[in-house]
Amino acid sequence: HIATLGTPLKRYHIAAVWRGENTQRGRYREFMQCDFDTIGTRSPAADIETALVIHDLFHAIGFERFRVRVNNRMVLTGLLETLGLAEKSAGVLRALDKLAKIGPEKVAQEMTETCGATEAQTRQVLELADIRGTRDEVLRQLEPLVAGSETGQEGVARLRDLAAGTAAAGVPEERL
């Protein structure tokens, strides 16, 4: 119904949802979830609004010390393009999802075994995952990793716009 509803379309929803997988410790079949989505626009304003909603919600319910973590999938996509792993992105993402659980060595091993990644390729992907610092430091570290990829460079630019927009709205740097 997008033609009737128009874009951008914003959708907000809080309700019980159910997992389509077996239950595990700490992962219940039924749980409450809050979704808010904006579709039909590529404007940085939509990303800025999403970050502001999350920030303002946590602040309104009384949290003082928190951090909203953001990313842009275009950055990883750009890196994978430069490394020749773009077609293997699903496998790389599956391996990266396990980083906190199994550590960088086993993630690198999984990327090698399931995606055919070389040691140099896995090192660069893990370098991306390990970037830390202030907003500006992180953005500076991302730029050389995606050099040569239009997609990656656009992802970094969108993150830069997001950082500038949330800063202009008064979000302290340590919260985003």
Side-chain angles (χ1 to χ4, degrees):
H1 301 283
I2 201 71
T4 307
L5 296 173
T7 57
L9 174 71
K10 295 178 186 180
R11 176 186 143 322
Y12 301 83
H13 180 83
I14 299 175
V17 294
W18 294 267
R19 291 188 199 285
E21 60 192 51
N22 291 330
T23 57
Q24 301 171 32
R25 183 178 178 183
R27 293 179 58 88
Y28 302 103
R29 179 158 314 271
E30 181 182 356
F31 58 99
M32 292 294 291
Q33 182 169 307
C34 173
D35 290 322
F36 55 98
D37 305 294
T38 302
I39 61 171
T41 181
R42 294 182 53 82
S43 169
D47 295 334
I48 293 166
E49 181 181 30
T50 298
L52 292 174
V53 166
I54 295 167
H55 173 271
D56 292 353
L57 171 68
F58 274 93
H59 191 260
I61 60 177
F63 288 103
E64 292 300 323
R65 290 182 26 197
F66 62 90
R67 176 169 285 174
V68 179
R69 296 185 183 269
V70 299
N71 69 52
N72 188 301
R73 175 78 177 270
M74 296 172 84
V75 175
L76 177 60
T77 299
L79 175 61
L80 296 180
E81 286 173 2
T82 65
L83 296 175
L85 292 172
E87 300 299 317
K88 309 283 183 160
S89 65
V92 171
L93 285 171
R94 266 193 297 282
L96 277 176
D97 258 359
K98 301 172 187 170
L99 188 58
K101 237 181 199 180
I102 65 174
E105 296 82 20
K106 290 195 174 170
V107 167
Q109 181 182 349
E110 184 172 327
M111 281 193 283
T112 300
E113 291 171 1
T114 62
C115 305
T118 66
E119 184 180 327
Q121 290 169 322
T122 60
R123 188 174 48 252
Q124 284 199 273
V125 171
L126 290 170
E127 183 182 330
L128 172 69
D130 195 41
I131 290 177
R132 303 283 183 274
T134 66
R135 288 180 193 173
D136 289 338
E137 290 168 349
V138 168
L139 292 168
R140 259 194 310 277
Q141 292 175 69
L142 288 175
E143 288 170 341
L145 286 176
V146 297
S149 166
E150 237 179 85
T151 303
Q153 290 170 337
E154 183 181 344
V156 173
R158 290 173 77 72
L159 286 172
R160 195 174 302 285
D161 289 344
L162 175 63
T166 55
V171 175
E173 181 170 345
E174 66 273 6
R175 286 195 180 160
L176 183 75

